[in-house]
Amino acid sequence: MVKKHTFNYNIFEHFVEVDNNTLKTVKKIKLSQDKKIPGMNLTSFYEENKTLNNLVNSKLKNIIESYKLKLTYCWVQQYLKNSFHTVHTHNSRGVSFVWFIEGSKKCSPLVFYDIGYPLVEVNSPKVFEFLVGRLIIFPGYIPHEVRPNTTNNRLIVSGNLV
């Protein structure tokens, strides 16, 4: 008898409109150079912001609750021309999200890889082109990156959920 066992990893895509108030609120968040990799991108990762937490909890509430999750932490990242975010993962036991706030189709996409990348790569990367309002929800352990940005403005809100 042969038994087959399979692992599945799901990435969910939603659309959440970015209205003027949302854009203004996100753009007011103080950003600084990434402390670990200077020149990578501008971020608010190192300083919790209650205004941003409230915005995410209100704008994404129904979606987050539909997965029976809650927000644990969120931050803003801005990518100028040639800014990037190296391949990384988030909380290995949680769920993460990226919400595209401002930019254009010319901005660098969000790219996901197989678990175990770069040592294991069975499938083609999953590429999500930049579309304002696109919300991507994914297991935090999936490796992902933003390659060097091709425009002078790519603004996102990212975070972790449990």
Side-chain angles (χ1 to χ4, degrees):
M1 177 167 84
V2 175
K3 290 183 179 181
K4 180 180 179 181
H5 302 275
T6 304
F7 291 96
N8 281 327
Y9 311 104
N10 295 310
I11 298 173
F12 297 94
E13 182 177 357
H14 296 268
F15 182 83
V16 179
E17 180 183 0
V18 178
D19 58 36
N20 285 334
N21 288 334
T22 299
L23 182 60
K24 285 179 188 176
T25 301
V26 171
K27 288 181 113 176
K28 285 182 184 177
I29 305 296
K30 182 183 174 203
L31 303 177
S32 58
Q33 288 289 325
D34 189 283
K35 292 179 181 179
K36 293 186 179 180
I37 306 175
M40 187 166 71
N41 56 46
L42 301 173
T43 185
S44 69
F45 182 80
Y46 300 100
E47 293 184 35
E48 186 171 4
N49 187 296
K50 291 183 189 283
T51 301
L52 181 61
N53 290 351
N54 291 338
L55 173 74
V56 168
N57 277 321
S58 67
K59 293 291 286 185
L60 306 182
K61 179 181 179 177
N62 292 337
I63 294 170
I64 291 171
E65 287 180 354
S66 74
Y67 292 101
K68 296 180 173 51
L69 296 168
K70 67 177 185 171
L71 178 69
T72 58
Y73 195 73
C74 62
W75 59 93
V76 174
Q77 284 186 242
Q78 182 174 24
Y79 298 77
L80 301 175
K81 189 164 182 137
N82 298 317
S83 294
F84 60 94
H85 200 142
T86 57
V87 175
H88 65 286
T89 60
H90 292 225
N91 181 350
S92 63
R93 294 183 182 208
V95 174
S96 299
F97 71 89
V98 175
W99 184 20
F100 298 151
I101 300 296
E102 183 179 51
S104 71
K105 291 180 183 179
K106 293 180 181 180
C107 291
S108 293
L110 175 61
V111 182
F112 290 92
Y113 299 97
D114 281 322
I115 305 305
Y117 177 87
L119 301 175
V120 176
E121 187 168 16
V122 177
N123 301 301
S124 298
K126 304 293 183 247
V127 178
F128 291 88
E129 300 297 331
F130 196 93
L131 174 64
V132 172
R134 179 174 273 162
L135 173 68
I136 307 296
I137 298 175
F138 57 97
Y141 53 79
I142 297 180
H144 57 284
E145 74 173 332
V146 174
R147 295 173 184 152
N149 194 37
T150 56
T151 69
N152 202 32
N153 190 30
R154 180 185 191 278
L155 187 65
I156 60 109
V157 172
S158 191
N160 295 323
L161 309 162
V162 292

